[in-house]
Each structure stands twice: as C-alpha cells, then as structure tokens.
C-alpha cells in the first residue's frame, strides 16, 4: 500500500476541494516528509496520477484576485472508495516493512465509525500475534549459528510486536471509552 496515495486522497477529501499547494502544506505540517518520505514532488505527482485514474477530479482555475492560475482537485466516488479501502487496510494489516502506512491511517482514523475502527484494530491485534508467533520460536533456537548476533534482530522484532500490541490495545480502549469524535458522531 502506498502511504502517499492514502495521504493525498485523504488530504483532498478533508479539504473538499483544494489545490496542490494546500495539500502539500497540510501533509508537510504533519511531518510526512520525515516519516513517510512524502516530498512535494511526490505529492504533485500523486495528484496528477490519481486524477488520471479517475480517483480525483481536476478543475482548472484561471488567474484571479486570489492568485495565479492553478489546478484544484476534489475526490470522486471511486476516490472515496479507494481512500476508505486504503485506510481500512492500513489499520487492519501489519506491514513491518512499511510502518508509514499505519502512521498515515492514524491521521484519518476519525473518518471511520467508532465500531468499525475498533474492529479493524482488533484485526490488527491478530496480525501482530501472528507476526510475533512467526518470529519468537527462532529467538529461542539454540542452533549455535555463526551469526548468533542476529538474535538481537529477532529480539527487536518480538519487542516491536509486543509494544505495538500494547499500544493497539490502549487505542482500542480509548476508542471504547469515547475518545475522539468519529464519523457519524458529528453534530
């Protein structure tokens, strides 16, 4: 999954209609250039690509008192479906190679109904348990390999799984306790 796709679709969706600079400013204010490798060029490229795929609709805006000519974007019905698919996948799926996917999804957590978000995070707990179970037995292996120091890597992965499990359980409890205004709860 591409965190950039999720971030750009979600950013446009949140604005309703926005030009590239607004999306760029918003995403960079989240520090996405640091944790998701999202740079200004990738944002503009994603906007054009998503419009080409029919997930965003582009509108050419002529020069006016507000500024020079620009292209505004808004999300389409297909874009809304893709955004929600990416969001759900990122919350439910453990992808140790791409932790930025979860980070991107957390920025849009409140775009889901509370019970759905909890269910997705519970699925994430199952994935974390599976990942930990796949790694932990190798940590106890006393094979005397020449690269015994790799046990440190395995130990790190087990520690990550344990920490992520504890954090995810905490988030589920906070959501159950009424934290945040979720989709469908807005006045």
């Amino acid at each position: 999954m591409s965190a950039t796709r999720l971030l750009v679709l979600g950013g446009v969706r949140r604005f309703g209609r926005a030009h590239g600079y607004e999306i760029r400013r918003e995403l960079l204010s989240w520090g996405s250039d640091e944790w998701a490798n999202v740079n200004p060029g990738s944002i503009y490229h994603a906007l054009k690509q998503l419009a080409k795929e029919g997930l965003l609709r582009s509108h050419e805006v002529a020069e006016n008192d507000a500024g020079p000519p620009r292209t505004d974007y808004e999300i389409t019905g297909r874009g809304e479906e893709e955004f929600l698919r990416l969001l759900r996948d990122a919350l439910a799926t453990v992808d140790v190679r791409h932790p930025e996917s979860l980070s991107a999804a957390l920025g849009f957590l409140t775009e889901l109904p509370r019970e759905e978000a909890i269910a997705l995070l519970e699925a994430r707990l199952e994935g974390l348990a599976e990942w930990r179970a796949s790694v932990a037995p190798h940590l106890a292996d006393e094979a005397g390999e020449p690269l015994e120091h790799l046990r440190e890597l395995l130990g790190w992965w087990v520690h990550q799984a344990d920490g992520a499990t504890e954090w995810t359980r905490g988030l589920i409890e906070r959501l159950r306790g009424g934290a945040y205004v979720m989709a469908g709860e807005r006045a």
Side-chain angles (χ1 to χ4, degrees), residues 133-182:
S134 73
V135 173
H138 302 290
L139 188 59
D141 187 6
E142 298 291 333
E145 304 255 341
L147 301 176
E148 288 179 341
H149 65 280
L150 289 180
R151 277 184 234 231
E152 295 300 334
L153 175 60
L154 297 170
W156 170 239
W157 287 344
V158 168
H159 178 76
Q160 281 184 302
D162 291 344
T165 297
E166 180 181 344
W167 176 85
T168 303
R169 285 185 181 138
L171 177 54
I172 290 169
E173 288 309 309
R174 288 187 294 281
L175 288 172
R176 284 190 177 132
Y180 316 116
V181 178
M182 305 296 285

Side-chain angles (χ1 to χ4, degrees), residues 60-122:
E60 298 305 320
V61 178
E63 183 172 357
N64 58 40
D65 292 341
R70 65 178 192 270
T71 304
D72 282 355
Y73 296 91
E74 66 181 321
I75 198 161
T76 65
R78 284 186 48 228
E80 176 79 13
E81 290 171 9
E82 177 69 356
F83 165 74
L84 291 171
R85 184 191 69 76
L86 291 170
L87 177 58
R88 290 171 177 134
D89 285 352
L91 287 173
T93 305
V94 175
D95 186 348
V96 296
R97 293 168 298 166
H98 300 287
E100 70 276 6
S101 296
L102 176 61
S103 298
L106 291 173
F108 300 107
L109 177 67
T110 59
E111 301 300 316
L112 294 171
R114 184 173 306 278
E115 290 307 314
E116 181 179 6
I118 290 169
L120 292 166
L121 291 166
E122 288 172 339

Side-chain angles (χ1 to χ4, degrees), residues 24-37:
R24 174 184 157 205
R25 185 182 63 224
E26 178 72 10
L27 296 181
L28 293 180
S29 77
W30 294 14
S32 63
D33 54 328
E34 295 293 325
W35 52 263
N37 253 350

Side-chain angles (χ1 to χ4, degrees), residues 51-62:
K52 186 177 174 182
E53 293 175 26
L55 303 176
L56 295 177
R57 185 175 301 112
S58 62
H59 303 275
E60 298 305 320
V61 178

